[in-house]
Amino acid sequence: MTLGTNTGSATEPRSSFGSVVAGEWFKLRTMRSTLWLIAVFVVLTAAMGATSSAGGDAPTQDDLAARLTAGLSLTLVFPAVLGVVAATSEWSTGLVRVSLVATPRRAWWVMAKAIVVGVVAIVATVCALALTIILSMFRYSGTDLAIDLTSPGTLAVLFGAPAFVAIMTVLSLAVGVLMRHSGGAVAASVGLLIVLPMVMGIFGLPVLVEILPTNAGLALMAQPAPFTPAVAIMLTLLWAAAPLGAGIWALQRRGA
Amino acid sequence: MIEVTSLSKTYGAKRAVNDISFTVDSGSVTGFLGPNGAGKSTTMRLILGLENPDTGTATVDGLPLAAHASPLRAVGALLDAKAVAPYRSARNHLRMLARTHRIPDSRVDEVIALTGLESVARKSAREFSLGMGQRLGIATALLGDPETLILDEPVNGLDPDGVIWVRELVKGFASEGRTVFLSSHLMSEMALTADRVIVIGRGQILADTTIDALVAGASGASVRVRSPQAAHLATILDAHDGSVAISGSDLLHIRGLDAAQVGEHAAAHGIVLHELATTGSNLESAYMELTAEAVEYRSDARPAGGAA
């Protein structure tokens, strides 16, 4: 019997952070729910963006830009669930025991997942924006409205929205790593990103509501913004970095 | 080589592993035996770095697993054959892990062939039987061509052909100078497969020895005698330093004397024998003796009046 060793063809296997990212990418793209979560996100975001009536009958260029992401604070739920499931599926399937033997550096493992879901979120959001712009061009043809892709408001959306969705997805991943159970983690993530801003908006707690992750992130592209862009970027990054750090720390301490 | 030094792990109030030390040498198959809940799986998880020990260290070839540049090349593990996403095909499960070490897909197909999974490699793991899942778990363990194999109940769910296959696989592995550490509940299988055994009970090492020494060190062979004059014979053998246990009206079990001595004493006193046989000691009885002590220790330590 051969163990398949000494065949000479195979190079010595090596694990690096890059190869761990490659493994996590393969894992995410062969996960059952990835494709449909992204597809629903792109279609729904584009549909809501292309039918938005922000600014009414005489929208400014900034209103047209705001229309592009009109649905985002709701459709965010899909990449958020993707982020959660990318973490919790490890525990629900038991795969974590195999994953962490292949990648015993737990910080690498979590960071690799964060990069993969973050990049997928960016690409999905770019696709959603592109589809929204194409649909809007049909909508505005024959009118004197046109989206100026170089206006400050539009540029803020084109760069801000993918970053915003990526950071919220990474935040959700971190919630998944911390909580491990899909149900609880989805509830916590959706609660924090979508429900809490609405509830606090209703009760009118303006200062608190602005620093919630969703609102801080939306401030990246809002015109006028409640914060300077630098503050918005810092605040949003903090909402990803702090939970991610907490997730890695908890995983190091608790074990698999 | 696996080196475990002063390893302890407590879950809540339960001391799963209590200050254990042992070495698993390369070039031989080491069995890991113990009753359920004795700490076998916890020990394996600690060696694999899946749990943090309270105290002590566990190293594989001198390093903790996380310090190896190529963890899958250092260790292949099967802890739980169900540790597979049910929607992913067997081949994709292996390809996914291969990516983490830049292992080519040709190696994936190699371990699929080696474990006899060619016909089901593209089926989702959900459709797998227990035996196929076990084969996939072994394929996963072999993927990185590791120097050390750690297998928790590898023959669980395998048919007799599969059991023999695993036995030959791990023996071949050890004969290449690699390290094999495997647990099993099947004592007869362990006796055929392992060179050494480590027995754990209540989180402590009860024995760390060769199979042969473990069997020899047990109370050993006994002689079974059936005689219509059993009571008389018992008195005679007792006087000659035999340790006699009487069961029923005509059956004796004797330790400390061999069958020839028993027969000669009977003949000298004109006692009729209907049966005279040697009952061999084996790994199973040696194991039962060791772990029974662990169970007794637990009973004594339990507070009086505590629920069973």
Side-chain angles (χ1 to χ4, degrees):
Chain A
M1 176 174 41
T2 172
L3 293 170
T5 60
N6 305 323
T7 52
S9 61
T11 50
E12 187 74 356
R14 274 274 168 263
S15 185
S16 63
F17 183 63
S19 66
V20 173
V21 172
E24 288 302 328
W25 162 236
F26 191 94
K27 188 182 286 175
L28 192 71
R29 76 183 175 80
T30 53
M31 195 170 75
R32 187 178 34 186
S33 46
T34 304
L35 189 65
W36 75 259
L37 281 170
I38 292 302
V40 172
F41 167 70
V42 169
V43 169
L44 220 54
T45 305
M48 291 177 77
T51 55
S52 165
S53 52
D57 291 334
T60 63
Q61 204 44 241
D62 284 346
D63 290 329
L64 292 184
R67 288 181 180 186
L68 294 177
T69 54
L72 206 55
S73 57
L74 281 175
T75 58
L76 185 61
V77 69
F78 296 100
V81 169
L82 180 68
V84 167
V85 173
T88 56
S89 65
E90 293 276 353
W91 280 276
S92 65
T93 61
L95 187 61
V96 62
R97 292 189 289 278
V98 172
S99 300
L100 287 179
V101 169
T103 309
R105 296 176 193 198
R106 298 171 195 168
W108 276 18
W109 185 66
V110 175
M111 289 306 293
K113 281 185 180 297
I115 287 172
V116 167
V117 296
V119 169
V120 165
I122 287 171
V123 171
T125 310
V126 168
C127 290
L129 288 172
L131 186 58
T132 313
I133 290 168
I134 291 166
L135 292 174
S136 302
M137 280 161 62
F138 283 109
R139 178 183 172 190
Y140 301 141
S141 68
T143 71
D144 52 1
L145 292 175
I147 300 172
D148 177 5
L149 293 178
T150 60
S151 78
T154 312
L155 284 174
V157 165
L158 293 183
F159 286 96
F164 163 68
V165 175
I167 288 168
M168 297 305 118
T169 305
V170 170
L171 165 63
S172 303
L173 172 81
V175 172
V177 171
L178 280 166
M179 299 186 65
R180 302 188 176 185
H181 292 285
S182 301
V186 166
S189 164
V190 171
L192 180 63
L193 296 183
I194 293 164
V195 179
L196 204 56
M198 290 182 182
V199 172
M200 287 178 68
I202 290 167
F203 288 101
L205 299 160
V207 178
L208 285 175
V209 94
E210 294 305 342
I211 61 165
L212 284 174
T214 312
N215 293 351
L218 287 170
L220 286 174
M221 43 195 154
Q223 300 286 329
F227 309 114
T228 65
V231 172
I233 288 168
M234 296 281 283
L235 202 54
T236 317
L237 281 176
L238 195 65
W239 272 113
L244 205 54
I248 291 170
W249 179 79
L251 191 62
Q252 304 277 26
R253 272 185 56 104
R254 284 170 66 190
Chain B
M1 187 169 78
I2 301 168
E3 284 171 290
V4 167
T5 312
S6 308
L7 206 58
S8 296
K9 179 72 183 177
T10 305
Y11 295 107
K14 187 180 182 328
R15 203 110 214 249
V17 172
N18 192 0
D19 193 27
I20 60 170
S21 300
F22 62 84
T23 302
V24 179
D25 287 317
S26 57
S28 60
V29 177
T30 303
F32 198 25
L33 294 175
N36 288 333
K40 293 194 300 290
S41 293
T42 302
T43 304
M44 286 183 160
R45 290 166 62 84
L46 287 165
I47 294 168
L48 292 167
L50 293 172
E51 300 283 350
N52 304 332
D54 298 337
T55 64
T57 56
T59 61
V60 177
D61 293 330
L63 295 172
L65 189 58
H68 280 273
S70 180
L72 286 185
R73 181 80 181 81
V75 175
L78 165 67
L79 287 186
D80 174 4
K82 293 187 291 290
V84 178
Y87 45 80
R88 201 171 278 126
S89 74
R91 190 163 183 273
N92 277 345
H93 174 76
L94 292 167
R95 287 174 76 203
M96 171 188 88
L97 290 166
R99 292 289 189 280
T100 64
H101 281 60
R102 298 198 173 82
I103 295 168
D105 281 357
S106 60
R107 175 62 185 169
V108 169
D109 293 328
E110 214 167 57
V111 294
I112 286 172
L114 194 64
T115 50
L117 287 172
E118 293 104 323
S119 61
V120 293
R122 284 165 204 279
K123 281 191 182 174
S124 63
R126 186 190 297 108
E127 301 169 64
F128 273 35
S129 65
L130 182 58
M132 288 195 290
Q134 204 72 16
R135 283 171 182 271
L136 177 57
I138 293 168
T140 305
L142 293 175
L143 183 64
D145 193 18
E147 283 301 314
T148 296
L149 268 183
I150 295 178
L151 307 173
D152 198 2
E153 300 281 346
V155 299
N156 193 17
L158 291 180
D159 56 18
D161 278 352
V163 172
I164 293 168
W165 169 72
V166 168
R167 187 191 308 156
E168 291 183 348
L169 177 85
V170 298
K171 284 186 160 187
F173 211 81
S175 73
E176 293 180 4
R178 305 193 209 201
T179 309
V180 181
F181 189 42
L182 82 167
S183 72
S184 177
H185 281 116
L186 299 176
M187 223 55 64
S188 54
E189 183 50 37
M190 196 62 101
L192 289 170
T193 309
D195 306 302
R196 294 184 63 87
V197 277
I198 293 170
V199 183
I200 188 171
R202 301 284 296 158
Q204 291 177 309
I205 302 296
L206 302 175
D208 179 358
T209 180
T210 63
I211 295 262
D212 293 344
L214 181 66
V215 172
S219 311
S222 70
V223 177
R224 187 172 61 174
V225 180
R226 202 177 286 278
S227 165
Q229 295 148 276
H232 185 200
L233 181 61
T235 318
I236 294 163
L237 295 176
D238 201 40
H240 289 89
D241 296 331
S243 158
V244 184
I246 305 175
S247 34
S249 59
D250 65 343
L251 187 63
L252 305 178
H253 289 278
I254 302 108
R255 290 182 194 275
L257 295 171
D258 65 22
Q261 290 170 313
V262 170
E264 281 159 16
H265 287 306
H269 292 83
I271 291 171
V272 174
L273 299 186
H274 289 168
E275 186 186 335
L276 176 62
T278 303
T279 314
S281 172
N282 56 26
L283 179 60
E284 183 144 28
S285 57
Y287 165 79
M288 293 304 278
E289 219 169 278
L290 266 174
T291 54
E293 283 163 17
V295 171
E296 277 170 16
Y297 162 72
R298 177 178 55 187
S299 310
D300 291 342
R302 196 180 295 156

